[in-house]
Amino acid sequence: MSTTLTWQGFAILSAVFAALTAILGKLGVAHLNSNMATLIRTGVILLVTAAIISLRAEWQRPSGGNWVGWTCLIASGVATGLSWLCYFRALQLGPVSLVAPVDKLSVALVMLAGWLVLGEPFTLKAAAGGGLIVLGSLILLL
């Protein structure tokens, strides 16, 4: 993947791949335990990421950073795993057309954390967008 894409380009690609994840995941958990499906997905991600790193010659010894960075990466991995387990179980139990949009409530939570925890700038445009995401999720849930 070219690094000449902007953050917006990568974000759009992320959305496209997330949509594929939802549809293919829904089909994949139809006849398979959702936890096993998550394990299979995780293994594939590990292999694909290792292949990309190998093709781009980006292997490096993970000696940099500090304990806070490492702790955050490990905690992020745990959160990702728990998110995937819950997501695949939700896909198994509910319609993908509702599960995926409600899952995107995480976008509004991230925006809030960005403002409160990371000190990112608060804008009316972002607040309105986040509010619409919350409203949309609530409409789907009720």
Side-chain angles (χ1 to χ4, degrees), residues 1-58:
M1 201 169 295
S2 173
T3 55
T4 57
L5 283 177
T6 64
W7 70 263
Q8 294 96 333
F10 279 111
I12 290 169
L13 284 174
S14 176
V16 169
F17 289 127
L20 285 171
T21 297
I23 298 300
L24 297 171
K26 177 67 174 179
L27 295 170
V29 298
H31 303 289
L32 187 66
N33 175 287
S34 61
N35 293 331
M36 188 64 195
T38 302
L39 178 64
I40 293 166
R41 175 185 178 185
T42 303
V44 170
I45 292 167
L46 178 65
L47 293 173
V48 169
T49 305
I52 290 170
I53 289 171
S54 295
L55 289 171
R56 294 175 54 95
E58 295 176 338

Side-chain angles (χ1 to χ4, degrees), residues 85-101:
L85 288 167
C86 293
Y87 185 70
F88 267 25
R89 184 65 178 146
L91 282 177
Q92 203 168 42
L93 297 172
V96 69
S97 59
L98 297 178
V99 170

